[in-house]
Amino acid sequence: MDNTLFYTKLKNHKEPITVLLSKTDNFQRIPDDWYIIVTDIKGSTVSVEKGLSELVNLIATGSIVAALNIAKKHTIDIPFFFGGDGATLLIPSMLLQEIMEALIIHQENIQKEFGIDLRVGNIAVSHAYKNNQELKIAKASINELHTIPVILGNGLHFAEKTIKSRDLDFEFEVKNKQKALLDLNGMECRWNKISPPENSNEVVSLLINAMQESEQASIFQNILEKTDEIYGPLQSRSPISIDKLELKFNYKRIKTELKAGHKKFSIINFLKVWFSGMIGKYMYLPNNQGQKYLNELKQLSDILVMDGRINMVISGSPKQRKLFTKYLDDLEKNELIIYGIYVSKKSIMSCYVQNRNAKHIHFVDGGSSGYTRAAKVLKQKVNHKKQGL
């Protein structure tokens, strides 16, 4: 049986994710012959502490854009999960060679241009199953424009740990370097750091793991319901506010975008990006068609990622955060979850823009790489738990 279009043909559930999580029969097992690809910046915390948060996000975004441009060429939908300093992808076997070759070129380019090591690896979904990992998926529409994959099971995190722990075993052979291509068209990083909307004064980055794989659905359902109760529905707690968006379009930003996008830094390429930015500034003026794009931008921002854990970026007040963390602390004390959190004053955004007519995705992270810093907190908690502290 050909499973290439497994995700493309998967039913798109229109009900809220909290309802979807109560109906686990709607989740389907990922085919054995699919692959998990993981990219991850080695020592990302060091890069973040050097003030390279936006570059870290852009490199991670590039991993997704490279894969999506290949999948689009073959008219195949694939699930992807942005993690701030890396990305995870689920792909059919027919795309493996082409996507891995593109990601290795991306890896080499990032090392050459910025001296940053990007880990790239893959394992077969069947390998995760052989190691007693679960991996089920559903498609969920979170608004009229945006659909996200929702994962149950620890298969993706098993893949991430496996790939991180055995770097040398995952070297991938590029069969023909002359024919291998990296297409990062559509990747942009042109927005300034974004202040939270009015009536909000902080941005919270959260990573939440359920301690028991079998209880993920019910625990995540309860947590998302509590999030709605304290912060309001997804769109109202988004850190992206249209009136706080500012284009940051200078020489350094254009140069970084070109280098990360595997494009030669030349006067012609510089002027192309600069010119498109100038048009962009005109488009975003009030009463212009660009306002439609900006309204879509908020809906198409990836502020909730469900990859076997909850990853979310929320804007709100310290009072709301204290209420929410008290709830999470109680769950943690009862050994139902373990979580990492980071609080910042702004969010950062990198983008994949195929065109400006509902064909764009915006990857959001907390300021100072909130996901990376929350992951550090989570890792420390896990280590303390292992040591019985």
Side-chain angles (χ1 to χ4, degrees), residues 56-72:
V56 164
N57 275 193
L58 190 62
I59 293 167
T61 298
S63 305
I64 296 172
V65 172
L68 290 183
N69 279 339
I70 290 168
K72 178 186 163 194

Side-chain angles (χ1 to χ4, degrees), residues 1-118:
M1 184 177 175
D2 186 1
N3 292 311
T4 301
L5 297 178
F6 162 74
Y7 187 70
T8 308
K9 293 180 176 178
L10 204 60
K11 181 182 175 182
N12 191 355
H13 295 277
K14 307 289 186 180
E15 59 205 355
I17 291 179
T18 50
V19 175
L20 178 61
L21 288 167
S22 70
K23 302 174 181 176
T24 52
D25 288 348
N26 287 328
F27 286 76
Q28 293 194 30
R29 197 171 188 259
I30 309 272
D32 291 58
D33 58 355
W34 274 48
Y35 282 81
I36 304 162
I37 291 179
V38 174
T39 71
D40 167 71
I41 292 173
K42 298 181 190 177
S44 55
T45 305
V46 175
S47 297
V48 166
E49 286 169 354
K50 287 180 181 175
L52 300 175
S53 296
E54 288 161 296
L55 176 58
V56 164
N57 275 193
L58 190 62
I59 293 167
T61 298
S63 305
I64 296 172
V65 172
L68 290 183
N69 279 339
I70 290 168
K72 178 186 163 194
K73 186 173 67 176
H74 294 280
T75 327
I76 297 169
D77 287 342
I78 57 172
F80 55 87
F81 307 88
F82 174 74
D85 61 353
T88 303
L89 302 144
L90 279 160
I91 65 162
S93 54
M94 75 156 286
L95 295 180
L96 180 66
Q97 186 73 30
E98 200 173 349
I99 288 177
M100 282 298 295
E101 288 183 354
L103 289 175
I104 286 165
I105 299 172
H106 183 45
Q107 177 188 55
E108 291 170 351
N109 180 59
I110 294 306
Q111 173 57 238
K112 176 188 162 196
E113 296 291 356
F114 305 105
I116 290 174
D117 290 325
L118 179 68

Side-chain angles (χ1 to χ4, degrees), residues 338-355:
I338 189 163
Y339 77 98
I341 185 171
Y342 184 75
V343 183
S344 56
K345 290 294 179 187
K346 295 193 176 184
S347 59
I348 49 181
M349 181 167 66
S350 47
C351 311
Y352 173 45
V353 182
Q354 289 182 47
N355 63 53

Side-chain angles (χ1 to χ4, degrees), residues 291-349:
Q291 287 299 301
K292 178 177 177 285
Y293 170 73
L294 292 176
N295 289 325
E296 290 172 352
L297 181 152
K298 186 170 179 179
Q299 290 186 70
L300 289 163
S301 293
D302 223 20
I303 57 175
L304 174 66
V305 176
M306 304 282 291
D307 61 355
R309 71 181 172 200
I310 295 175
N311 311 256
M312 56 184 171
V313 185
I314 304 169
S315 68
S317 68
K319 184 180 176 183
Q320 288 171 310
R321 170 172 44 90
K322 284 169 188 171
L323 279 171
F324 193 48
T325 51
K326 183 182 182 306
Y327 168 74
L328 294 178
D329 287 340
D330 287 342
L331 292 179
E332 198 169 60
K333 280 174 193 169
N334 289 315
E335 299 195 334
L336 294 171
I337 67 162
I338 189 163
Y339 77 98
I341 185 171
Y342 184 75
V343 183
S344 56
K345 290 294 179 187
K346 295 193 176 184
S347 59
I348 49 181
M349 181 167 66

